[in-house]
């Protein structure tokens, strides 16, 4: 199939393009669109056939549920068996925004969209183009990240094109996304509210609204025997093609160790990539050096992370080393993605 590629002003998208995207969705097709977190691959959430097409286009395992995106709060009643009070409280503070909530689903939501589960994940993105597109499409857009399954999520429309050109009907290019890692997921369907995936909205921010908030212990551990409650979190994700190692410790010692590792890998004839920061860039030796901003600026690191992981692939890095970052606040989301990209391969010094 030929994929339409349309550029828009992300704040004030061309109405004709949005209308066209809405028609594609209503006819059961797929449209990739920008959000504030990463690009999404959208289909009609209440059309089981559209959800099946999303899984096929991405090569996504069919037990990995999709997030339903809405643009209006009054759509909640139709999607949920019962809307919990906590959902309205959190929506008031964080929507539109990078927070996904899991609740018991209504019969309107097909199991094809929820990976066979009786719960549904719902989010209202903070992005004008996304909101206009959702409204033009009937109000319910099922959308995972618009990458081939297992690859880093797309933060630019060109990333979507690389992965999905010819497999979907349309790509709406709204420029670079603002946040760069996927939404925080909080489960409100049973027991205490629990974070299943860390994101820009942190535990501290949620606790200020809800009081106690738990956290799935598998988030920063590769050895926890428990299965993560978000089915998608069990897959090796966000990964570059080269084998990646994180080095953790005092910054000067980390730089020294990375340079030793690079020298050893080069001696074996391997092309080396290093993910570094403004503070370490000048001291690192590598074939492919990628700076993600200051060590102390998690927002900048998050925004660059997936683009840089893809650039390692494009430039043929076979072995990749990265420094580690703080795991509090938004840093937890950044480290969760980096750890997964590295298959939990960490060298502590
Ligand atoms: P993605 O859209 O690619 O960011 O992936 C969506 C994430 O949401 C995956 O990790 C899913 O496992 C998770 N998710 C979606 N719906 C549910 C649900 N009903 N219960 C638990 N996790 C969910
Ligand atoms: Mg994804």
């Amino acid at each position: 199939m030929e994929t339409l590629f349309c550029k828009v002003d992300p704040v004030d998208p061309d109405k004709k393009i949005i209308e066209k995207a809405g028609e594609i969705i209503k006819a059961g097709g797929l449209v990739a669109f920008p959000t504030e977190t990463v690009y999404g691959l959208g289909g009609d959430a209440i059309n089981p056939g559209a959800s099946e097409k999303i899984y096929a286009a991405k090569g996504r395992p069919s037990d990995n549920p999709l997030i339903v995106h809405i643009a209006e709060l009054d759509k909640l009643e139709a999607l949920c068996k019962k809307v919990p009070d906590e959902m309205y409280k959190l929506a008031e503070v964080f929507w539109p925004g990078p927070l996904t909530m899991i609740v018991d689903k209504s019969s309107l939501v097909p199991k094809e969209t929820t990976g066979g589960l009786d719960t549904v994940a719902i989010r209202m993105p903070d992005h004008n183009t996304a909101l206009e597109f959702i409204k033009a499409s009937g109000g319910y857009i099922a959308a995972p990240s618009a990458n081939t399954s297992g690859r880093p999520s797309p933060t630019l429309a060109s990333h979507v094109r690389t992965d999905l050109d010819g497999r979907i009907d349309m790509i709406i290019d709204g420029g670079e996304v603002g946040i760069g890692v996927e939404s925080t997921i909080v489960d409100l369907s049973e027991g205490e509210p629990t974070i299943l995936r860390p994101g820009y909205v942190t535990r501290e921010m949620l606790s200020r609204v809800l009081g106690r908030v738990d956290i799935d212990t598998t988030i920063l551990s590769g050895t926890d025997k428990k299965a993560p409650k978000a089915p998608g979190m069990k897959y090796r994700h966000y990964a570059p093609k080269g084998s990646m190692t994180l080095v953790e410790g005092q910054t000067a010692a980390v730089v020294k160790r990375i340079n030793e590792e690079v020298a050893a890998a080069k001696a074996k004839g391997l092309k080396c990539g290093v993910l570094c920061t403004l503070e370490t860039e000048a001291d690192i030796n590598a074939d492919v050096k990628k700076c993600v901003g200051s060590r102390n600026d998690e927002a900048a690191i998050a925004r660059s992370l997936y683009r840089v992981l893809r650039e390692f692939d494009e430039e043929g890095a076979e072995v990749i080393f990265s420094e580690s970052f703080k795991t509090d606040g938004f840093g937890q989301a950044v480290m969760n993605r980096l750890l997964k990209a590295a298959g939990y391969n960490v060298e502590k010094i």
Side-chain angles (χ1 to χ4, degrees):
M1 101 178 30
E2 197 191 330
T3 303
L4 279 174
F5 193 86
C6 303
K7 258 195 181 6
V8 297
D9 171 348
V11 182
D12 184 20
D14 184 329
K15 290 205 169 39
K16 285 214 178 65
I17 294 174
I18 295 297
E19 248 168 53
K20 171 79 188 159
E23 280 163 21
I24 291 172
I25 295 294
K26 286 177 177 165
L30 303 184
V31 175
F33 64 102
T35 78
E36 81 280 35
T37 57
V38 299
Y39 274 76
L41 174 58
D44 183 353
I46 56 181
N47 174 352
S51 292
E52 279 168 352
K53 276 194 198 168
I54 291 177
Y55 287 100
K58 283 185 57 110
R60 181 174 174 111
S62 61
D63 69 344
N64 188 359
L66 309 175
I67 293 172
V68 179
H69 293 68
I70 57 171
E72 297 136 313
L73 216 51
D74 62 11
K75 292 285 191 288
L76 283 181
E77 296 283 343
L79 292 173
C80 307
K81 195 167 165 194
K82 179 183 173 296
V83 185
D85 289 343
E86 290 107 325
M87 190 171 212
Y88 284 124
K89 280 191 198 155
L90 290 177
E92 202 178 311
V93 180
F94 297 110
W95 278 3
L99 178 69
T100 296
M101 299 183 230
I102 293 174
V103 294
D104 289 334
K105 77 172 192 70
S106 72
S107 56
L108 179 71
V109 187
K111 289 240 177 158
E112 285 77 1
T113 299
T114 64
L117 299 174
D118 292 321
T119 52
V120 59
I122 308 173
R123 169 167 118 82
M124 188 190 289
D126 185 12
H127 193 291
N128 275 2
T129 298
L131 295 170
E132 292 302 319
F133 161 61
I134 296 164
K135 283 186 213 159
S137 303
Y140 308 101
I141 288 289
S145 50
N147 50 287
T148 299
S149 198
R151 296 212 66 206
S153 296
T155 57
L156 289 166
S158 61
H159 298 160
V160 182
R161 203 175 210 172
T162 304
D163 284 11
L164 299 175
D165 196 20
R167 303 175 70 86
I168 62 177
D169 298 281
M170 183 177 184
I171 298 171
I172 304 177
D173 180 356
E176 190 176 25
V177 301
I179 292 180
V181 297
E182 303 81 352
S183 58
T184 305
I185 301 181
V186 63
D187 185 3
L188 303 176
S189 70
E190 59 173 350
E192 296 294 338
T194 304
I195 295 175
L196 306 187
R197 177 173 76 184
Y200 181 78
V201 176
T202 61
R203 182 188 200 172
E204 294 70 33
M205 289 158 80
L206 294 173
S207 295
R208 260 177 250 141
V209 180
L210 292 186
R212 178 168 170 187
V213 175
D214 287 343
I215 194 147
D216 189 322
T217 52
T218 60
I219 279 174
L220 289 175
S221 158
T223 52
D224 201 313
K225 293 280 183 297
K226 248 177 44 195
K229 266 198 73 188
M233 298 297 278
K234 70 174 179 273
Y235 295 107
R236 184 168 182 239
H237 242 97
Y238 322 117
K241 291 177 187 145
S243 82
M244 186 165 176
T245 305
L246 306 189
V247 184
E248 196 180 295
Q250 295 289 334
T251 305
V254 167
V255 168
K256 186 163 172 277
R257 176 64 65 89
I258 288 180
N259 283 335
E260 287 164 6
E261 294 279 12
V262 168
K266 276 180 104 158
K268 290 186 205 151
L270 295 167
K271 189 164 181 182
C272 295
V274 173
L275 186 153
C276 58
T277 53
L278 287 175
E279 290 82 357
T280 61
E281 189 177 16
D283 299 323
I284 291 281
N285 304 309
D287 302 309
V288 186
K289 217 170 15 170
K290 296 288 169 190
C291 177
V292 289
S294 169
R295 284 188 59 71
N296 305 314
D297 184 354
E298 282 102 11
I301 300 170
R303 213 174 308 120
S304 315
L305 183 62
Y306 289 142
R307 175 179 47 77
V308 160
L309 292 179
R310 281 176 178 261
E311 286 169 357
F312 284 128
D313 287 355
E314 285 154 21
E315 294 175 41
E318 296 168 281
V319 241
I320 302 163
F321 298 95
S322 168
E323 51 196 274
S324 299
F325 303 100
K326 285 185 293 196
T327 56
D328 56 346
F330 186 31
Q332 185 174 56
V334 173
M335 277 305 286
N336 167 263
R337 303 322 191 266
L338 255 182
L339 280 162
K340 280 177 157 278
Y344 296 96
N345 196 4
V346 184
E347 236 184 275
K348 291 198 168 115
I349 52 172

